[in-house]
Amino acid sequence: MTITNEIRVDFLSVPENESFARLAISAFLLPLNPTLSEVSDVKTAVSEAVTNAIIHGYGKKLGTVRMHATLTDSRLLTVDITDNGRGIEDLKQAMQPFWTSVDGFERSGMGFTVMESFMDSIDVVSKVGAGTTVRMYKQISFGAACAKEA
């Protein structure tokens, strides 16, 4: 597989930038003519990963969130969301539905479950005190317009 397109963007860990990340990944996908469902799935997963980085990675501190996305000639999308925050002590526990590390917020503890539901697969690498990277994969189909041309 050869990478055909790539973006890397860093942004401040403020809640307003979650919507920026959603828009950026949508624009990145548009040249592939993805289905509306694919765009929605990717936007939702990116939103969850960015929100986790902001809330769980940095808490009340400001930091940088990086979104790095690649597309291959086989239409495989890979999206990394990385923070340099607290890291995750017990990754297995953190990936369990309804578990959250933040008390006092209205958090459902479903972030990783949502990411896994909307993407083909995810990998999480984390080190306490050094941060977390969530890598998500999604195979993009040949949308309706591409299917008609074939």
Side-chain angles (χ1 to χ4, degrees):
M1 285 187 287
T2 303
I3 291 175
T4 59
N5 200 2
E6 178 177 24
I7 60 167
R8 183 175 294 120
V9 60
D10 294 348
F11 48 89
L12 199 58
S13 62
V14 295
E16 296 82 6
N17 284 333
E18 177 270 330
S19 61
F20 167 76
R22 290 171 58 92
L23 289 171
I25 200 66
S26 297
F28 183 66
L29 283 175
L30 278 179
L32 294 180
N33 193 30
T35 65
L36 290 176
S37 179
E38 288 168 333
V39 173
S40 180
D41 289 354
V42 171
K43 285 171 53 177
T44 300
V46 165
S47 177
E48 289 295 329
V50 169
T51 298
N52 276 1
I54 293 168
I55 292 173
H56 299 287
Y58 292 112
K60 295 181 182 182
K61 294 182 183 178
L62 286 180
T64 300
V65 177
R66 170 171 283 174
M67 179 170 67
H68 175 224
T70 60
L71 286 168
T72 68
D73 53 359
S74 65
R75 301 172 66 91
L76 178 65
L77 170 70
T78 303
V79 182
D80 292 353
I81 304 296
T82 301
D83 68 69
N84 298 309
R86 292 185 266 229
I88 301 170
E89 247 181 79
D90 185 339
L91 189 54
K92 187 174 181 179
Q93 182 182 36
M95 294 186 77
Q96 295 299 311
F98 305 112
W99 189 87
T100 184
S101 65
V102 179
D103 293 328
F105 282 100
E106 290 184 22
R107 308 303 314 160
S108 68
M110 295 296 288
F112 286 123
T113 302
V114 168
M115 288 178 242
E116 290 175 322
S117 297
F118 286 98
M119 300 297 277
D120 294 335
S121 64
I122 72 167
D123 295 317
V124 182
V125 176
S126 188
K127 184 175 181 187
V128 174
T132 302
T133 296
V134 176
R135 176 169 285 173
M136 303 176 284
Y137 303 91
K138 182 83 166 176
Q139 185 66 52
I140 306 300
S141 69
F142 285 95
C146 292
K148 289 178 187 176
E149 293 172 10

